Amino acid sequence: MAKAAVKIQTYKNFIGGRWVKPANGQMMDNLNPANTREVVGRFPASTAADVDAAISAAQEALPRWKAVPAPKRAEILYRAGEILMQRKEKFAQDMTREMGKVLKEARGDVQEAIDMTFYTAGEGRRLHGYTTPSEMPNKFAMCVRQPIGLCSLITPWNFPMAIPSWKMMPALICGNTLVIKPAEDTPLSTINLVKVLEEAGLPPGVVNIVCGTGPEAGAPLTSHDAVRLVSFTGSTATGTAVAETAARAGKICSLEMGGKNVIMIMEDADLDLAAEGAIWGAFGTSGQRCTASSRLVVHKKVYKKFVEKLTERAKTLRVGNGLDEKIDVGPVINQKAVDKILGYILVGKHEAKLHLGGTQLASGNHKHGFFIEPTIFTDVKPNARIAQEEIFGPVVSVIPCGGLDEAIEIGNSVKYGLSSSIYTADVNRAFHAMERMHTGIFYVNSATIGAEVHLPFGGTKATGNGHREGAMISSLDIFSEWKSIYVDYSGKLQKAQIDDVQV
Ligand code: ADP
């Protein structure tokens, strides 16, 4: 008997409050990275025409949305948070199927979107400005936040619901309208989030989603005249190109890009805890986090013992389809990622000692997915390419060091500055490291991953361009503009800096 064809679900763009096909009718398949025979769905391969339509819708919706009192905008976010909570498990399953991360991490990703949605909703009754004295008598001075306008949001595949929520929720509470372009590998999770906002009662045109590739659907979002702000998370190469285009077009631009994060393990550290943290930091999400702990700088006195503990634990990790609750490490995202990671493993073999792993798993249960073994390089020189460049896969470099100063120097020797951490029992050393590590995030006795939504998220140096998402104060600074207001009630002309006010 012939096998019935599996019906592939098709998805649309959301423009002006309607789900619509792309103008040219072209679609692209989203494959499950754990099993590429499974098509997760068929998504629009949008072009500039769709982006134009989405931008027009966002432009049209802007005056009305801006005028909605922020506490009322917040009510929609509260409702969205409730719906997200109800659908958490379904959305996590969808995410694992399209992105590959293991289910418990996918649940965490959805939870982060829930946290961000409720957290931002609370801001509807704050959005604080401030008052301050004027230098003239009978004159009142204050400043308030106002919406930026139309925002373009471009997001990556590794946190397909969390990252869109970090950008969308603050943009919305501030009174902006937006167009989001999710990564081509993970549009479903972002569509799920947009559907929730639609269901929660967001007016048409306030949020629009256009699916497609970076060059076809992303690039037009960075240069369109009506766009006021571009918020991007992704690779440093793409982010730099986005920033160049946005700068030429006179747009505000916030970037979150790469990382090469370090855990420093001192000789007084709890080595079991450090090894557990390193495993989670290096191999969680198959190393595909911008905060992944890809370098472990270990004091020579405990180097051998630590490597033993790390290896012992790494050997127990089960690699496979993240929908199976027993799996610890899922696939990497696509063939391009496999090629890149295997390329770095080859480089590493010439630069250091391949201590564990190093191969692609491609038979049996792994046959149709993008699986790479957790890989440990030891005796890595701090300036080796594998210790300097972002690999974005389950590959970790262990680097010996002679003490705290050297560890900090090695830690800071990369071009990125996202996250770093130290394992030590000595509070003085922890504080020294905290002060001297030039990163946007720092942990003590914990790996380099695990950011919470209410603290600033972002990095120094090549990681970003000075903005921070997450924490309300810093993300409001991205998604709103200050307006300074002076009210002169003296009834006469008063000149700041010129009139001599008598004391
Ligand atoms: P990765 O290499 O990890 O896939 P990218 O930085 O290329 O990461 O992708 C991050 C996001 O940027 C994705 O949504 C992608 O489609 C988008 N993108 C890629 N190229 C461009 C571009 N030229 N302009 C705008 N967005 C782009």
Side-chain angles (χ1 to χ4, degrees):
M1 203 171 70
K3 221 168 137 193
V6 181
K7 190 165 177 331
I8 296 171
Q9 189 157 357
T10 58
Y11 294 86
K12 294 176 178 168
N13 289 327
F14 188 60
I15 298 178
R18 292 188 316 120
W19 292 94
V20 292
K21 289 182 183 159
N24 67 2
Q26 298 292 309
M27 302 293 279
M28 50 205 259
D29 285 352
N30 175 11
L31 306 182
N32 178 344
N35 175 8
T36 54
R37 289 174 308 175
E38 183 194 336
V39 180
V40 176
R42 198 153 275 164
F43 293 84
S46 310
T47 57
D50 306 298
V51 172
D52 280 350
I55 287 177
S56 297
Q59 223 175 344
E60 205 184 311
L62 187 60
R64 253 190 73 198
W65 182 242
K66 251 177 161 169
V68 174
K72 287 280 157 198
R73 290 179 212 139
E75 284 174 15
I76 299 176
L77 297 200
Y78 278 122
R79 278 199 293 277
E82 296 286 344
I83 302 169
L84 279 168
M85 275 171 65
Q86 288 157 17
R87 314 250 163 97
K88 179 174 171 181
E89 188 56 28
K90 165 80 173 88
F91 289 168
Q93 303 255 351
D94 282 350
M95 189 182 297
T96 296
R97 281 174 59 229
E98 73 169 349
M99 186 278 166
K101 64 172 73 176
V102 297
L103 254 185
K104 59 177 179 293
E105 289 184 26
R107 290 183 191 120
D109 196 310
V110 180
Q111 186 59 46
E112 205 169 309
I114 296 169
D115 294 344
M116 189 41 120
T117 305
F118 282 127
Y119 173 52
T120 311
E123 197 57 27
R125 287 188 185 270
R126 284 187 293 268
L127 281 178
H128 291 150
Y130 58 93
T131 62
T132 185
S134 161
E135 59 189 56
M136 319 302 296
N138 299 321
K139 193 173 170 188
F140 188 85
M142 63 184 163
C143 48
V144 297
R145 291 186 183 276
Q146 56 182 351
I148 296 259
L150 206 166
C151 303
S152 285
L153 313 180
I154 300 173
T155 51
W157 46 264
N158 63 338
F159 283 86
M161 191 177 273
I163 293 179
S165 78
W166 287 4
K167 296 184 191 297
M168 289 164 83
M169 303 312 163
L172 291 174
I173 204 71
C174 288
N176 304 295
T177 58
L178 62 93
V179 180
I180 185 163
K181 207 293 286 171
E184 36 277 66
D185 284 305
T186 56
L188 178 55
S189 297
T190 315
I191 283 183
N192 282 340
L193 184 59
V194 169
K195 278 189 176 154
V196 166
L197 285 165
E198 178 194 15
E199 209 176 311
L202 209 60
V206 174
V207 164
N208 305 274
I209 182 167
V210 176
C211 303
T213 67
E216 290 284 335
L221 277 174
T222 63
S223 57
H224 195 291
D225 275 350
V227 170
R228 189 68 194 109
L229 172 142
V230 180
S231 173
F232 169 89
T233 300
S235 65
T236 300
T238 304
T240 307
V242 162
E244 281 169 7
T245 310
R248 265 195 300 274
K251 305 194 183 315
I252 299 164
C253 178
S254 82
L255 304 169
E256 287 296 340
M257 304 182 287
K260 191 72 189 176
N261 314 291
V262 66
I263 300 182
M264 300 175 287
I265 295 153
M266 296 294 102
E267 75 278 24
D268 61 350
D270 176 336
L271 292 187
D272 288 309
L273 189 66
E276 208 182 329
I279 291 285
W280 173 227
F283 303 129
T285 327
S286 305
Q288 303 172 110
R289 293 178 179 232
C290 44
T291 53
S293 313
S294 51
R295 296 181 296 153
L296 310 175
V297 174
V298 187
H299 197 288
K300 281 175 186 149
K301 283 190 188 155
V302 293
Y303 183 83
K304 199 162 158 261
K305 207 159 150 202
F306 173 77
V307 170
E308 270 168 29
K309 286 181 186 289
L310 183 76
T311 313
E312 214 175 277
R313 282 182 160 77
K315 280 181 178 163
T316 66
L317 295 174
R318 283 154 301 198
V319 180
N321 188 331
L323 285 176
D324 177 347
E325 300 270 9
K326 292 191 290 298
I327 292 298
D328 304 295
V329 179
V332 299
I333 189 71
N334 54 28
Q335 186 60 46
K336 204 173 118 207
V338 170
D339 296 342
K340 179 180 172 196
I341 297 161
L342 292 180
Y344 271 111
I345 289 174
L346 202 61
V347 169
K349 283 179 181 169
H350 292 104
E351 291 182 325
K353 199 169 132 211
L354 175 62
H355 181 78
L356 187 78
T359 50
Q360 182 177 6
L361 301 170
S363 59
N365 286 343
H366 298 117
K367 195 164 171 202
H368 298 286
F370 304 118
F371 298 101
I372 295 182
E373 284 182 306
T375 298
I376 302 174
F377 282 101
T378 51
D379 298 348
V380 182
K381 300 262 182 314
N383 61 355
R385 278 185 64 198
I386 56 166
Q388 290 285 325
E389 297 172 22
E390 190 178 40
I391 299 174
F392 229 62
V395 180
V396 70
S397 292
V398 193
I399 306 169
C401 79
L404 180 65
D405 287 344
E406 192 187 344
I408 292 172
E409 198 183 317
I410 295 170
N412 280 330
S413 73
V414 293
K415 68 175 179 177
Y416 301 108
L418 184 51
S419 183
S420 56
S421 93
I422 188 166
Y423 280 83
T424 180
D426 178 351
V427 69
N428 293 355
R429 285 204 277 188
F431 268 84
H432 273 295
M434 181 183 80
E435 193 181 309
R436 287 159 60 196
M437 283 309 299
H438 192 198
T439 55
I441 305 170
F442 184 77
Y443 294 86
V444 179
N445 292 330
S446 176
T448 54
I449 63 179
E452 300 176 26
V453 299
H454 55 299
L455 277 78
F457 184 93
T460 63
K461 303 193 278 184
T463 294
N465 63 346
H467 297 277
R468 295 288 185 273
E469 293 185 335
M472 211 35 74
I473 292 173
S474 52
S475 55
L476 294 187
D477 277 345
I478 298 177
F479 291 103
S480 67
E481 284 181 304
W482 284 111
K483 179 182 278 173
S484 299
I485 301 166
Y486 303 90
V487 182
D488 192 324
Y489 56 96
S490 68
K492 58 184 184 198
L493 175 64
Q494 300 198 88
K495 302 188 210 86
Q497 295 95 36
I498 293 169
D499 286 358
D500 189 16
V501 177
Q502 295 303 313
V503 179

